[in-house]
Amino acid sequence: MSFEINKFFSKILAIIIFLFSSFFIFYIYYRNKYFYTGEGILNVNIYYFLGLIGIFISLLVLFLPNKISKSLTIIGFISILAIYILEYSINFINFKDSKRIYLAKKNGVIYDTRTITEVVKDLKKKTNKKVSIAYPASGYIPPNGIKIQNKYINPLSGISDSLTVVCNESGKWSTYLSDRYGFNNPDYIWDKKNIDIILIGDSYVHGDCVKPKNNISGNLRNITGKNVLNLAFRGNSPYSQYATLKEYAIKKNPKNIFWFFSEENDLEDISRDKNKKILTDYLKNDDHHQNLENKQYLIDKALQNLYIKINFTKNVKLQNIRKFFLERLIIRLFYKDSIEKQENEYKQGKKRVYLVNEKNFQAYSEIIQKVNYITKEKNINLNLVYMPSWERYINTDYTQLIKKFHKLTDKLDINFINLDEDLFNIKKDPLIHFPFKINSHYNEETYKDISKILVKYIN
């Protein structure tokens, strides 16, 4: 058999595979080293390996007979078309919540099985208002921020005055009408001269997956009748939270600030954002500001454009297929033994010890020291609220982390509210605080109980 490589389809197919594989490797390298700024892509070496296999295959294709290459090109085109049809279709198939839907049915709970794409589509038909998704800044806004008027900015909230879709963990989709700065508040709160309470944190405080009246800020307004401003947003790291304090909170001169620490991911988020200069400059330079309050209209336009790109590019990158099929397959192939080991340890009552990242905790301590200094200078009552994770009650021992927080708050003379001790561990089964007892944010009743505890610390 002649191995002539000067054949049209063989060369075309080889070039396509080679260019795609090379671009894929470059893209993974960029995302891993620059976009995620320290956190890294899970199983990144597998993606590099796939790219190298693609380059090797492109060289082999050069030696294929032209007829076979032509057939492969046609088959490849049809396959790619079919894959993208499947990718787009997953936007309307609720793979993500299959376990929740099963548990809801088992417990007699009616579950809204629509995907977030369908919810947004339905809301746009029913309202004249803007409809948006509460995308967390992490993973969507590039490390250098988004460009507005030749300057890069890192927003700390969502689109303003928008009917905002969040999530569904208990059976019903949570939505809220965002305020003038894109936070989850009734807008009139910003017009109040006296702000009694400000909340700063991530998704747990933002109000993920519950109605606004049932999140912490909603409950506090109902219980106390006081002016409560919720400046938390999903995905915000301690760096973002400190930026929020400087950009929005201090200007309102509140009487009380509740600063929430999420055991689940706040220390890990330090790694994610430690190289984002726009955020870290708040700590390095007391005069650093983005003046976000005066740029909300421009921020809204920039975020709207960014979200349109997100919705398009996530399908181009086969995000749905990777998330719901490939990642699950990788876990089953490479982590099956590890998962079985964890399940056995859970049945035996064993827990892994959470190893505190000392550098990240030191960075967090520096943030809290700054917050403490500012609030004492302004005569603001500061309270640090420790929020336990689902993993704590399943397979993880966070004793060392709690000890560090006691030491830190004692040193700085900050009120320390440990919700594990004050609420979760009081119950015989702490998992009842999570919808269907699986990994989730807290349920409505838990947020209400948390609010009752916080009332005791209000000045």
Side-chain angles (χ1 to χ4, degrees):
M1 179 183 292
S2 173
F3 287 99
E4 297 178 14
I5 64 173
N6 190 23
K7 299 167 184 174
F8 179 76
F9 280 103
S10 295
K11 291 177 68 175
I12 292 296
L13 183 58
I15 291 171
I16 291 173
I17 296 174
F18 179 82
L19 290 177
F20 176 82
S21 301
S22 301
F23 174 78
F24 180 75
I25 292 173
F26 173 79
Y27 173 77
I28 293 298
Y29 178 80
Y30 166 76
R31 292 285 290 188
N32 190 54
K33 294 295 183 181
Y34 298 102
F35 194 91
Y36 285 105
T37 58
E39 185 67 9
I41 300 174
L42 185 65
N43 304 314
V44 66
N45 289 333
I46 294 176
Y47 294 109
Y48 286 137
F49 181 67
L50 290 175
L52 291 173
I53 288 178
I55 291 175
F56 179 71
I57 289 174
S58 70
L59 298 176
L60 293 180
V61 167
L62 288 171
F63 294 93
L64 288 176
N66 201 50
K67 185 177 180 180
I68 294 177
S69 296
K70 181 178 180 180
S71 299
L72 289 175
T73 302
I74 296 172
I75 293 171
F77 175 78
I78 294 173
S79 299
I80 291 172
L81 181 63
I83 287 171
Y84 274 103
I85 290 174
L86 175 61
E87 166 70 21
Y88 183 75
S89 299
I90 294 176
N91 289 325
F92 302 93
I93 303 173
N94 204 334
F95 286 112
K96 179 183 177 182
D97 291 340
S98 56
K99 186 175 182 179
R100 294 184 187 279
I101 294 169
Y102 167 77
L103 292 172
K105 186 176 181 180
K106 186 178 179 180
N107 289 278
V109 176
I110 298 174
Y111 200 100
D112 188 340
T113 59
R114 290 178 299 169
T115 65
I116 197 166
T117 303
E118 293 173 307
V119 173
V120 169
K121 185 178 179 181
D122 290 343
L123 286 175
K124 285 181 176 179
K125 292 178 181 178
K126 297 177 182 178
T127 181
N128 294 324
K129 285 191 168 292
K130 292 181 290 187
V131 178
S132 61
I133 296 173
Y135 287 107
S138 59
Y140 293 97
I141 296 176
N144 294 329
I146 52 178
K147 196 172 184 179
I148 297 176
Q149 292 184 334
N150 296 319
K151 188 174 182 180
Y152 286 94
I153 287 177
N154 192 312
L156 303 169
S157 57
I159 295 173
S160 68
D161 191 29
S162 173
L163 187 55
T164 307
V165 183
V166 192
C167 51
N168 176 11
E169 290 181 343
S170 60
K172 296 180 180 179
W173 280 95
S174 63
T175 61
Y176 64 87
L177 181 61
S178 59
D179 63 27
R180 66 191 68 176
Y181 299 120
F183 291 102
N184 186 358
N185 295 290
D187 190 70
Y188 72 86
I189 298 292
W190 288 100
D191 295 324
K192 298 293 183 180
K193 291 183 179 179
N194 299 314
I195 297 296
D196 300 292
I197 304 164
I198 283 182
L199 311 179
I200 297 179
D202 63 4
S203 56
Y204 286 90
V205 192
H206 173 235
D208 273 25
C209 309
V210 297
K211 294 179 179 179
K213 66 178 182 179
N214 295 322
N215 63 20
I216 296 173
S217 56
N219 277 296
L220 284 174
R221 292 188 197 105
N222 182 53
I223 295 170
T224 66
K226 294 181 181 294
N227 296 323
V228 182
L229 197 56
N230 182 2
L231 299 183
F233 202 78
R234 63 191 321 205
N236 275 6
S237 70
Y239 288 117
S240 304
Q241 292 159 20
Y242 183 72
T244 300
L245 176 80
K246 297 292 294 294
E247 288 285 342
Y248 299 100
I250 291 301
K251 296 176 183 179
K252 300 303 290 184
N253 196 29
K255 298 175 183 177
N256 303 272
I257 287 180
F258 287 94
W259 186 284
F260 293 81
F261 173 80
S262 175
E263 178 183 74
E264 180 179 346
N265 54 24
D266 269 6
L267 284 190
E268 284 69 26
D269 289 349
I270 293 284
S271 292
R272 187 194 71 206
D273 287 356
K274 66 183 178 182
N275 294 325
K276 294 183 178 179
K277 189 175 183 301
I278 295 178
L279 297 179
T280 57
D281 276 353
Y282 283 97
L283 290 165
K284 298 174 182 177
N285 181 2
D286 291 340
D287 295 327
H288 173 68
H289 282 86
Q290 299 184 77
N291 297 313
L292 298 179
E293 284 183 317
N294 300 321
K295 300 173 181 175
Q296 191 60 46
Y297 174 73
L298 297 173
I299 290 172
D300 285 350
K301 290 183 66 176
L303 287 178
Q304 285 170 340
N305 292 333
L306 178 65
Y307 296 162
I308 290 171
K309 292 177 182 177
I310 289 169
N311 289 327
F312 174 74
T313 57
K314 76 174 186 178
N315 288 138
V316 172
K317 296 185 295 184
L318 301 176
Q319 183 172 308
N320 287 328
I321 288 177
R322 288 190 291 114
K323 184 175 182 179
F324 297 115
F325 294 108
L326 293 183
E327 287 184 8
R328 292 183 182 185
L329 179 62
I330 289 171
I331 289 172
R332 288 189 178 185
L333 290 176
F334 297 96
Y335 297 97
K336 183 180 178 181
D337 293 340
S338 177
I339 293 171
E340 289 178 352
K341 182 180 178 181
Q342 288 181 18
E343 290 176 349
N344 290 331
E345 288 177 347
Y346 169 64
K347 291 176 183 177
Q348 297 170 16
K350 297 179 181 178
K351 290 187 176 182
R352 69 178 180 90
V353 176
Y354 177 79
L355 301 177
V356 180
N357 184 312
E358 294 296 340
K359 288 185 178 180
N360 286 1
F361 188 81
Q362 179 60 35
Y364 187 83
S365 299
E366 291 173 4
I367 293 172
I368 295 302
Q369 288 176 45
K370 283 271 193 178
V371 174
N372 189 46
Y373 175 80
I374 292 171
T375 52
K376 276 185 166 52
E377 188 179 49
K378 299 282 186 179
N379 197 28
I380 299 170
N381 175 37
L382 175 64
N383 305 275
L384 199 158
V385 186
Y386 188 99
M387 308 186 81
S389 64
W390 179 83
E391 285 85 358
R392 164 181 286 271
Y393 308 107
I394 292 294
N395 58 17
T396 308
D397 181 356
Y398 287 93
T399 303
Q400 295 303 316
L401 182 59
I402 284 285
K403 286 181 179 178
K404 285 183 173 292
F405 266 93
H406 276 295
K407 186 176 180 180
L408 174 65
T409 52
D410 286 345
K411 176 184 175 182
L412 299 177
D413 191 26
I414 298 173
N415 292 331
F416 182 52
I417 306 170
N418 184 354
L419 295 178
D420 174 55
E421 292 178 357
D422 295 346
L423 177 60
F424 284 70
N425 251 331
I426 294 175
K427 302 288 186 180
K428 184 177 180 181
D429 182 8
L431 293 179
I432 65 170
H433 294 288
F434 304 89
F436 306 115
K437 297 185 179 183
I438 60 177
N439 197 359
S440 316
H441 295 89
Y442 306 149
N443 55 35
E444 292 180 357
E445 192 61 35
T446 301
Y447 285 122
K448 187 174 183 179
D449 290 339
I450 290 172
S451 302
K452 291 177 181 178
I453 292 171
L454 300 187
V455 168
K456 303 173 186 176
Y457 294 86
I458 296 174
N459 279 354

